[in-house]
Amino acid sequence: MFNRLTSQEWKILIEQSESSSLSKLEFCKLNGLSPSTFYAKRQQLKETVTSQGFIRAEIVENTTKYQVSQTPTANMTLFVNDIELSIPQGTPATYVAELIGALS
């Protein structure tokens, strides 16, 4: 189906495969892709994203919103999956638990 794809085209295909209910092999067959090339490009794009210091985030529809009624005096630092989070003291425990669950 494709001769040469740009990095952007590969990124779009990989995102489509991840949101698809098909296995990676089925997705490759359906789109005329070599599975070995698909996996190599996917790894290459992951390394590019990692080296830039960004991670993919997902939007969670059921989020907890809160307002801090007083000025926080100190921050709490959490380390989750090699990510450092600084959270204001007084943040509700339910919010912290939801945040940690979303990052796990």
Side-chain angles (χ1 to χ4, degrees):
M1 179 175 168
F2 303 107
N3 286 333
R4 290 193 180 242
L5 297 172
T6 65
S7 292
Q8 184 64 29
E9 290 169 324
W10 274 109
K11 182 181 176 196
I12 291 168
L13 277 170
I14 291 166
E15 288 172 353
Q16 288 174 348
S17 77
E18 290 176 0
S19 64
S20 169
S21 62
L22 298 172
S23 70
K24 300 302 182 237
L25 188 57
E26 291 170 327
F27 182 85
C28 288
K29 276 185 183 179
L30 183 67
N31 289 284
L33 302 170
S34 160
S36 60
T37 303
F38 175 84
Y39 286 112
K41 288 293 184 179
R42 187 177 73 164
Q43 183 63 32
Q44 185 180 41
L45 287 173
K46 277 184 185 178
E47 289 170 1
T48 302
V49 170
T50 302
S51 69
Q52 292 175 350
F54 293 99
I55 60 169
R56 183 181 185 129
E58 292 183 25
I59 297 173
V60 179
E61 290 184 28
N62 297 328
T63 59
T64 302
K65 296 180 182 179
Y66 75 96
Q67 282 185 310
V68 177
S69 58
Q70 50 185 307
T71 306
T73 56
N75 288 336
M76 163 175 44
T77 302
L78 298 175
F79 296 92
V80 180
N81 296 334
D82 298 325
I83 299 171
E84 182 178 336
L85 298 170
S86 183
I87 300 173
Q89 187 178 34
T91 301
T94 54
Y95 178 78
V96 174
E98 183 179 330
L99 180 62
I100 292 170
L103 294 172
S104 299

